[in-house]
C-alpha cells in the first residue's frame, strides 16, 4: 500500500515524546504478528549538540557536544514523510529485531 516509505526517507515524527523531530526510516513493515498495523523503525537525533566557548571546561564541553540518538517503532499514521532521502548511511545493517524489544 505505502510504497514511498522506503528506508532512507527523511520523515517528521508527529506524536509521542519525539513529536516534531526529524528521523530517517530504517525499516518499513506492513504488518506482523506483534503489530497488526503498518509501521516503521525510525532513527533520529533526540538531543542536538549545544554551543560551546573557550572558557568552558573540558568536562562541560564534552557534555554539551554529545549527540543523543533515538530509535523508535512508529505507526505509519504518526509520521509525515518529506521529499528528502538519505542514501549515504547504512543503518539497516546495525539494527536487529532483539534491539527493539
Amino acid at each position: 500500500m505505502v510504497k514511498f516509505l522506503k528506508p532512507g526517507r527523511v520523515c517528521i515524527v508527529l506524536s509521542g515524546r519525539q513529536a516534531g523531530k526529524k528521523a530517517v526510516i530504517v525499516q518499513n513493515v506492513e504488518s506482523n504478528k506483534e503489530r497488526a498495523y503498518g509501521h516503521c523503525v525510525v532513527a533520529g537525533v533526540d538531543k542536538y549538540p549545544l554551543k560551546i566557548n573557550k572558557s568552558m571546561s573540558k568536562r562541560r564541553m564534552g557534555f554539551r557536544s554529545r549527540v543523543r540518538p533515538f530509535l523508535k517503532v512508529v505507526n505509519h499514521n504518526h509520521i509525515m514523510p518529506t521529499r528528502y532521502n538519505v542514501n549515504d548511511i547504512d543503518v539497516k545493517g546495525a539494527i536487529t529485531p532483539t534491539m527493539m524489544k
Side-chain angles (χ1 to χ4, degrees):
M1 179 180 132
V2 184
K3 302 219 189 260
F4 57 90
L5 294 176
K6 295 179 181 172
R9 172 75 64 181
V10 177
C11 62
I12 299 172
V13 181
L14 299 176
S15 65
R17 183 177 179 171
Q18 279 85 22
K21 303 268 176 128
K22 292 182 278 295
V24 177
I25 296 174
V26 177
Q27 185 179 11
N28 185 21
V29 181
E30 291 302 321
S31 65
N32 59 15
K33 292 178 184 176
E34 295 174 1
R35 295 178 174 90
Y37 52 87
H39 58 280
C40 299
V41 178
V42 296
V45 178
D46 193 18
K47 184 181 167 205
Y48 293 94
L50 300 170
K51 190 176 175 182
I52 58 173
N53 329 351
K54 285 193 289 186
S55 63
M56 290 183 185
S57 67
K58 296 269 186 190
R59 183 172 184 243
R60 180 172 244 184
M61 281 189 209
F63 281 121
R64 292 178 69 96
S65 61
R66 236 178 241 164
V67 177
R68 184 175 168 195
F70 71 88
L71 193 65
K72 187 175 182 178
V73 177
V74 184
N75 190 331
H76 286 164
N77 297 329
H78 299 215
I79 59 172
M80 183 173 67
T82 63
R83 63 182 178 176
Y84 301 105
N85 286 319
V86 177
N87 298 327
D88 303 341
I89 305 168
D90 183 29
V91 187
K92 190 173 182 177
I95 310 276
T96 60
T98 56
M99 294 173 92
M100 299 307 301
K101 292 187 181 187

